[in-house]
Every structure is written in structure tokens, then in C-alpha cells.
Amino acid sequence: MRRGLRAGAATFLGPVVALTGAGAAAAHARVSAATTLYVSVLGSDAGNGCTRTAHPCATISHALSVTAAGDTIRIGAGQYDESGLQATVSVSLVGAGAEWTVIDGLAKAGILTVGPTADVSMSGLTLRDGSTTDHGGAVYNNGTLTATGDRFL
């Protein structure tokens, strides 16, 4: 069964789902406000949700794996040797400045793929040495991408 909900001038259609107890509180917390996640070359991915500045993740790939739509991932200064990154939800990737935050694909694969329903914004990053045989080595964009103050080498 589908029900329409009216909010302002927009009508939303979809199944009605009820959550109770801890599930409702957790769902409400993630829906209510976007979360900022943190990545640092000195961080650790083990058991880390990346949400505390004092205990950041070590890799962008781990931060992307725990992010929810609308989140921001703040990537500290340093070089991150990563490729095959997948942005499947809308997210902001914010570096410390293109001269300070470098994602190096090490010529292994493409660096970032933006999924078809994702709206990704990037700022303050350098992406270098991505490699593919069928499309650009830095970013393969299937969704929406906004790049501001980034370098692609």
C-alpha cells in the first residue's frame, strides 16, 4: 500500500514504515542532521565510525563505507594512496587545500567513481595518478559532481 504525505507544496509517495525503540532513535539521529566524518594519515580504521576529530579514520575508503547521504568527510593534510573509491550516496569531500591533501591512485585504477544517484562535492583536494583503460583516471562520474579548488594531475 502506498500513501501520499504532503509537506508544503511537495507530495511524497512511498510505503509507510514504523520504527520503535532504539531503531527509531538511531534512524532519527541520522535523518535529522548530517554527520561530519574525519580522515587523517595518522588515523585508524579499526572499529572506527570516523566521527571524532581525536580518533579519525586512516582511509577515505573506510570513511565512504560508513557515510550516510548528506554527510561531510573532512580529509586532513597528507598523501592518501587510494584508488577504487566509491561514492554511492551524496557526500561532500573536503580537503585541507589542494596543495596539502593528495589522493594518489598510484596508477593502479581510477581514483573515484560517483554513483548514479550520488551528488558529490569536492574541494581542496589533489587527485593524481589515477589509471583506467576506458575512461578518465581521476573521476568516473555517473551522478553529479561539483569540484571547487581541486587539482587533477
Side-chain angles (χ1 to χ4, degrees):
M1 173 187 339
R2 296 177 68 87
R3 301 191 182 217
L5 302 175
R6 188 149 178 86
T11 300
F12 301 94
L13 296 174
V16 176
V17 178
L19 294 175
T20 59
H28 182 269
R30 285 302 269 171
V31 171
S32 296
T35 300
T36 300
L37 292 87
Y38 301 92
V39 178
S40 168
V41 293
L42 301 175
S44 172
D45 289 345
N48 196 342
C50 311
T51 58
R52 296 181 8 205
T53 57
H55 299 286
C57 292
T59 63
I60 301 161
S61 61
H62 182 70
L64 283 167
S65 75
V66 298
T67 196
D71 286 352
T72 297
I73 299 174
R74 294 204 167 271
I75 306 164
Q79 179 171 312
Y80 300 85
D81 295 340
E82 298 190 55
S83 59
L85 300 173
Q86 300 287 321
T88 58
V89 298
S90 296
V91 63
S92 295
L93 303 172
V94 180
E99 63 277 12
W100 303 110
T101 305
V102 177
I103 305 171
D104 193 327
L106 300 174
K108 291 182 179 180
I111 295 172
L112 174 66
T113 298
V114 177
T117 60
D119 183 348
V120 174
S121 66
M122 297 183 349
S123 63
L125 300 169
T126 292
L127 280 67
R128 76 172 175 216
D129 290 333
S131 176
T132 64
T133 59
D134 59 348
H135 54 76
V139 179
Y140 185 57
N141 183 22
N142 291 311
T144 302
L145 174 68
T146 304
T148 306
D150 298 307
R151 295 189 310 181
F152 301 89
L153 308 173

